[in-house]
Amino acid sequence: MVRPIRPRFVRGPPSIDYFKPRGIPLSTLDEVVLKVEELEAIKLKDLEGLEQEECAKKMKISRGTFQRILSSAKKKIADALVNGKAIKVEGGNYKMPVARMGRGFGRRAQWPPTVCVCPVCGNQQPKVAGFPCSQMKCSKCGSLMVRGD
Ligand SMILES: [Zn+2]
């Protein structure tokens, strides 16, 4: 049985997804594929200078796993630098914080929040989704309301 790979947490999408040596046409270029979590590992450890322990915690993985990801990343980057290969950042097994807010994504957001206003007394009530203001009665004077904002 294959052990399922736990996702590694990265903070955001990579700022670049392709890195290539100058002056070599893409068609003749070899490339290494750096996984998104490998780039994140390099960033945390080598760029931001965090302790391995801390990096592992941030990515919600064990220290051993972090170590493996980091060495794999370094090997690929070294290969690209030494042998003049392009680096493509792609794939891997990771989760971004934004992915957890995916629920309801694509639905039209109610922002800024819409209110219904009573034309008689000026009372404001939050609009109920799917229910027009013109069918809503003012809680203070009972008049039909109009859409505010
Ligand atoms: Zn009213």
Side-chain angles (χ1 to χ4, degrees):
M1 201 181 101
V2 183
R3 195 166 64 97
I5 301 170
R6 290 183 52 201
R8 292 78 194 245
F9 283 75
V10 301
R11 277 169 305 181
S15 45
I16 56 141
D17 59 8
Y18 210 85
F19 196 83
K20 85 185 249 311
R22 179 174 162 168
I24 302 175
L26 267 183
S27 53
T28 63
L29 205 57
D30 273 336
E31 62 180 29
V32 294
V33 177
L34 195 65
K35 292 176 188 167
V36 172
E37 69 258 32
E38 289 173 340
L39 184 69
E40 180 81 359
I42 288 272
K43 192 168 82 182
L44 292 174
K45 182 71 176 59
D46 292 346
L47 192 62
E48 297 183 10
L50 298 179
E51 293 299 323
Q52 233 177 73
E53 193 80 50
E54 216 173 330
C55 300
K57 221 181 271 173
K58 276 189 190 291
M59 292 177 72
K60 299 193 196 308
I61 50 179
S62 72
R63 230 181 115 154
T65 304
F66 180 82
Q67 175 70 60
R68 272 199 306 281
I69 292 174
L70 187 68
S71 347
S72 160
K74 285 186 170 173
K75 197 169 172 190
K76 288 177 183 178
I77 290 172
D79 181 28
L81 286 181
V82 173
N83 299 316
K85 296 180 180 177
I87 301 171
K88 186 179 184 178
V89 180
E90 178 183 75
N93 178 29
Y94 62 93
K95 264 189 184 169
M96 277 180 230
V98 67
R100 284 183 293 169
M101 301 194 298
R103 230 152 46 103
F105 180 77
R107 247 190 279 150
R108 212 149 55 91
Q110 285 264 334
W111 193 262
T114 316
V115 291
C116 301
V117 181
C118 172
V120 179
C121 71
N123 179 37
Q124 291 194 353
Q125 286 169 219
K127 186 184 181 302
V128 180
F131 196 75
C133 289
S134 58
Q135 286 176 27
M136 196 189 229
K137 282 185 176 168
C138 171
S139 62
K140 286 190 180 155
C141 69
S143 306
L144 287 171
M145 306 192 77
V146 293
R147 197 185 161 104
D149 74 24

